[in-house]
Amino acid sequence: MLVVQDHPPLAASQTPQIHYGQRMTEPQHYDAIILGAGAAGLMCAAVAGQRGRRVLVIDHAPEAGRKILISGGGRCNFTNLGCAPDRFLSHNPHFAKSALSRYTPHDFLALVERHRIAWHEKTLGQLFCDGSARQIVAMLLDECARGGVTVACNTTIGAVEHADGRFRVGAASAPALVIATGGPSIPKMGATGFAYDLARRFGLKVVQPRPALVPLTLAGEDALFRDLSGVSARVIARCGKAAFAENALFTHRGLSGPAILQISSYWQHGQPVDIAFLPDRAPGWLIAAKAASPRQPLRRVLRDALPERLADVLCDRLDIAQELGATPDRRLQAAEAQLAAWRFMPNGSEGYAKAEVTAGGIATAELSSKTMAARRVPGLHAIGEAVDVTGWLGGYNFQWAWASGWAAGQEI
Ligand SMILES: Cc1cc2nc3c(=O)[nH]c(=O)nc-3n(C[C@H](O)[C@H](O)[C@H](O)COP(=O)(O)OP(=O)(O)OC[C@H]3O[C@@H](n4cnc5c(N)ncnc54)[C@H](O)[C@@H]3O)c2cc1C
């Protein structure tokens, strides 16, 4: 059970210190400088600030938490109750375990409830705000204010220097620096690959970044399916050993919808994606349908079970025009097998412009899983999407941002 404590209102001296377009010319000494005022950076700053650390957060965007604001269709799917390490992709599948176990979905939910933000569970453990994602950003900024954190938005990071055990960013300096600038997905929101460039400059390895949770594009034979733009159906999408049972959506460029976004994180160029249409049908269902209604054509059977346009395209491809009773069992078995694993060969994805996250990133081998500190550069940390940990669709990526931000916030 959750213990919900009332959160006293902020004192006048604790209103959020947000500076815009700060020039930072006077020397300023902090305990930690956090680059990026997104989900992970704000959580880290709030935790460290409330531990008494003097914290500066710098972001080039005009406002903090812009991806939070557009997330979950404006309602922010802020966590998932089913959060478990196997719902994350990483070169080291064990890396995320420590942080995820020390800051759980229930911890974040307790924070949300302390701020009296109404929420609901949508499906599959996904928690959303009833109102607006803006409440989550306001909550994080309020927590930062309680820790006396300075947030500098609209501020260019410029050169980052490291000497005598201190990091210097403009006129600010600190013994701890946290890379929290996320990944390059959705560049029009101000997303950049800055985290990777900076990490490489400090000698940290970066696992090749790639767009993830992204629509896939179809060409060649498969392009005919693009005529189904707007049609969706419940399917199982498979790629390698990964499988997701959710909706797939045909688009004018290819495939999207939750099942495809999920599988896209596992897909690599040249690999097929197999789609099971009618995944709930028992093996032998077409032969059984033949026995029950031999006068029915396959087209009608499929139209009864799938959106009409999709049923027609599949039926045309299966090339079975006659009644089931006139169709040999082996052809029905072959049709059933094809419907259970319809092979698509995507020729690409819609790229960073449409990717909800970036997979890959700063190599986990470079970091402590407990503190997110770089093993070889004392004081340097990396958190959130910048790190090679990528969650499934459904609130997992924010949970990683909160958990990794919390872990680093305890340390800096
Ligand atoms: C459309 C969309 C919807 C999403 N919905 C959900 C959802 O509902 N649930 C979920 O769990 N996840 C969702 N995500 C993913 C989630 O938003 C990210 O995984 C999460 O925001 C990562 O947090 P972060 O702090 O690491 O990075 P970010 O939140 O991206 O923050 C990085 C910050 O760094 C700043 N920055 C970047 N480069 C620079 C630079 N060069 N100089 C200065 N500042 C810089 C950016 O302005 C940004 O404020 C969604 C993503 C998108 C794009």
Side-chain angles (χ1 to χ4, degrees):
M1 205 177 105
L2 284 170
V3 179
V4 181
Q5 290 163 349
D6 240 357
H7 221 38
L10 285 175
S13 60
Q14 287 180 301
T15 45
Q17 290 187 46
I18 307 180
H19 302 272
Y20 298 95
Q22 189 172 272
R23 292 219 317 281
M24 294 197 304
T25 45
E26 296 294 308
Q28 300 160 29
H29 301 287
Y30 292 90
D31 294 316
I33 299 171
I34 299 175
L35 305 179
L42 291 176
M43 172 60 88
C44 181
V47 170
Q50 291 180 23
R51 285 176 49 241
R53 300 292 188 263
R54 286 164 305 155
V55 180
L56 170 68
V57 187
I58 307 175
D59 201 299
H60 65 174
E63 60 186 332
R66 287 182 105 191
K67 276 197 187 163
I68 301 174
L69 294 174
I70 59 162
S71 68
R75 292 226 162 94
C76 187
N77 177 193
F78 54 79
T79 192
N80 193 301
L81 295 176
C83 189
D86 64 358
R87 281 143 195 236
F88 294 83
L89 290 83
S90 172
H91 196 68
N92 175 1
H94 304 293
F95 181 81
K97 286 181 179 170
S98 172
L100 290 173
S101 68
R102 284 180 300 133
Y103 192 85
T104 69
H106 291 282
D107 291 320
F108 193 76
L109 192 53
L111 183 63
V112 165
E113 296 206 329
R114 278 206 300 279
H115 284 260
R116 303 196 174 286
I117 298 172
W119 57 274
H120 62 279
E121 180 178 347
K122 202 168 173 186
T123 174
L124 303 170
Q126 301 168 6
L127 304 191
F128 287 76
C129 299
D130 288 356
S132 158
R134 203 161 274 285
Q135 294 172 285
I136 298 291
V137 176
M139 175 188 85
L140 292 166
L141 289 175
D142 179 289
E143 290 292 323
C144 283
R146 286 169 200 277
V149 171
T150 302
V151 182
C153 287
N154 223 358
T155 301
T156 305
I157 292 174
V160 177
E161 288 158 23
H162 184 214
D164 308 326
R166 289 187 81 81
F167 297 88
R168 285 187 179 72
V169 184
S173 76
L177 182 75
V178 183
I179 304 175
T181 49
S185 52
I186 320 282
K188 71 172 187 223
M189 298 295 301
T192 68
F194 177 85
Y196 314 142
D197 298 340
L198 190 59
R200 286 192 187 101
R201 268 193 42 215
F202 280 107
L204 309 191
K205 291 200 177 67
V206 172
V207 174
Q208 182 62 41
R210 61 180 199 282
L213 298 181
V214 64
L216 298 174
T217 54
L218 297 176
E221 275 281 280
D222 291 338
L224 292 174
F225 281 87
R226 301 194 317 215
D227 294 344
L228 294 175
S229 182
V231 171
S232 85
R234 194 176 154 72
V235 303
I236 296 178
R238 291 192 172 84
C239 182
K241 289 183 181 153
F244 291 92
E246 285 195 63
N247 273 8
L249 169 72
F250 291 92
T251 71
H252 66 290
R253 295 193 62 190
L255 293 165
S256 186
I260 301 302
L261 298 183
Q262 296 278 36
I263 212 72
S264 74
S265 300
Y266 293 84
W267 176 81
Q268 293 190 358
H269 276 271
Q271 278 187 304
V273 170
D274 289 335
I275 295 202
F277 294 105
L278 303 170
D280 301 328
R281 296 292 166 107
W285 69 273
L286 261 184
I287 307 276
K290 173 179 171 176
S293 326
R295 303 295 309 273
Q296 280 207 74
L298 179 64
R299 188 174 303 271
R300 192 170 319 139
V301 175
L302 293 183
R303 278 185 176 187
D304 284 348
L306 290 165
E308 193 172 297
R309 282 161 65 204
L310 174 59
D312 287 352
V313 167
L314 294 177
C315 192
D316 292 346
R317 296 295 190 90
L318 291 168
D319 199 20
I320 299 176
Q322 69 270 41
E323 294 169 352
L324 292 182
T327 313
D329 283 1
R330 63 177 168 70
R331 281 200 71 195
L332 292 179
Q333 279 160 349
E336 195 183 302
Q338 191 165 346
L339 287 168
W342 202 286
R343 180 148 286 199
F344 290 89
M345 288 300 291
N347 69 337
S349 78
E350 293 198 31
Y352 288 120
K354 290 283 169 63
E356 209 160 282
V357 287
T358 304
I362 298 172
T364 55
E366 304 283 2
L367 306 173
S368 153
S369 62
K370 189 158 178 275
T371 63
M372 302 293 135
R375 295 181 189 284
R376 293 183 286 159
V377 187
L380 183 66
H381 299 70
I383 57 176
E385 199 178 315
V387 177
D388 172 31
V389 173
T390 306
W392 285 3
L393 188 74
Y396 297 99
N397 285 296
F398 278 136
Q399 188 57 37
W400 168 246
W402 316 136
S404 58
W406 186 89
Q410 294 292 332
E411 174 71 9
I412 54 178

